[in-house]
Amino acid sequence: LVLTAALALPVAAQTVTLNGTMGSQHGLLVIDGQPHSVAVGATVKGVRLLSLGGNQAVIDVQGTRRTLMVGAGAVKITSSGEASSGDVVLTAGPGGHFRTIGQINGKTVQFMVDTGASLVAMSQAQADNLGIAYRNGPMSFAQTANGTVSVHMVTLDSVRLGGALVANVPAMVLASPMEHVLLGNSFLTRFQMRRDNDVMRLEKR
């Protein structure tokens, strides 16, 4: 009975994000929401940094290797070493903005989280690069910092952030140029969102 009860306990998990590098021998890992400067070969909270190269790092957790990409969201790893998907951990950058790399319809984009935007929003140039046929979409209007503008309404086949994949996401395409694709509430409301200082957690509903 004691063994059965022990097996029924939930498996502990931790999240690991590569937030950047400090030279070629130190990586800035965010482990369970806490940043750590970890040297190659060192172990912090059970996470061993094996190598750094470019914008990625290879880590080892209990004998299981995982590759992390800068800005690609967190990898959630159970105590058995198995990585799971569905939850995302982001850390704030300069100005307190949450910027990250993700995918729209399988193509890589730069996102900025915008809880004030009702929909995922992008420029026409960004939509063209992604191959989105926005000109066939219905027209509508949106309020921006520059006033009311006309937009094309589209539905994205998929939006991926870290290990989380959401299908059929409403979005709008604006004529004005934009530095990032705004990750608005048509994506964010699919998650339970929690913020603790400079860490934002998105947990799949």
Side-chain angles (χ1 to χ4, degrees):
L1 291 176
V2 173
L3 178 60
T4 301
L7 291 174
L9 291 174
V11 178
Q14 61 186 158
T15 56
V16 187
T17 308
L18 177 61
N19 208 36
T21 59
M22 302 171 66
S24 61
Q25 294 298 310
H26 287 79
L28 182 58
L29 300 182
V30 180
I31 304 173
D32 293 334
Q34 298 297 319
H36 300 273
S37 175
V38 184
V40 173
T43 301
V44 176
K45 292 189 173 181
V47 178
R48 182 178 178 84
L49 179 59
L50 297 178
S51 65
L52 285 173
N55 291 322
Q56 68 180 31
V58 179
I59 62 171
D60 178 276
V61 180
Q62 297 188 15
T64 300
R65 292 191 178 191
R66 301 293 174 192
T67 300
L68 306 177
M69 300 291 294
V70 173
V75 171
K76 188 175 182 181
I77 305 174
T78 68
S79 60
S80 64
E82 179 184 356
S84 61
S85 61
D87 295 346
V88 178
V89 179
L90 303 174
T91 53
H97 297 295
F98 292 90
R99 297 182 176 90
T100 187
I101 297 173
Q103 292 183 336
I104 290 178
N105 297 351
K107 296 184 178 180
T108 300
V109 298
Q110 292 186 330
F111 287 120
M112 184 171 73
V113 175
D114 187 351
T115 57
S118 58
L119 302 175
V120 173
M122 69 187 72
S123 68
Q124 291 183 0
Q126 291 166 331
D128 286 335
N129 289 335
L130 293 169
I132 297 172
Y134 60 90
R135 292 179 178 85
N136 298 330
M139 296 294 296
S140 185
F141 296 93
Q143 292 291 332
T144 71
N146 297 320
T148 302
V149 297
S150 60
V151 298
H152 291 273
M153 306 299 294
V154 297
T155 298
L156 306 175
D157 292 337
S158 65
V159 176
R160 178 182 290 278
L161 190 61
L165 179 66
V166 177
N168 302 320
V169 179
M172 59 183 176
V173 179
L174 294 77
S176 55
M178 298 170 61
E179 184 177 357
H180 301 86
V181 174
L182 299 182
L183 201 59
N185 288 318
S186 57
F187 176 84
L188 297 174
T189 53
R190 310 286 185 95
F191 299 82
Q192 181 70 37
M193 186 167 54
R194 294 186 299 161
R195 180 169 178 175
D196 183 13
N197 296 322
D198 288 339
V199 177
M200 177 181 291
R201 298 177 185 274
L202 303 176
E203 299 175 355
K204 199 71 177 291
R205 293 181 183 275

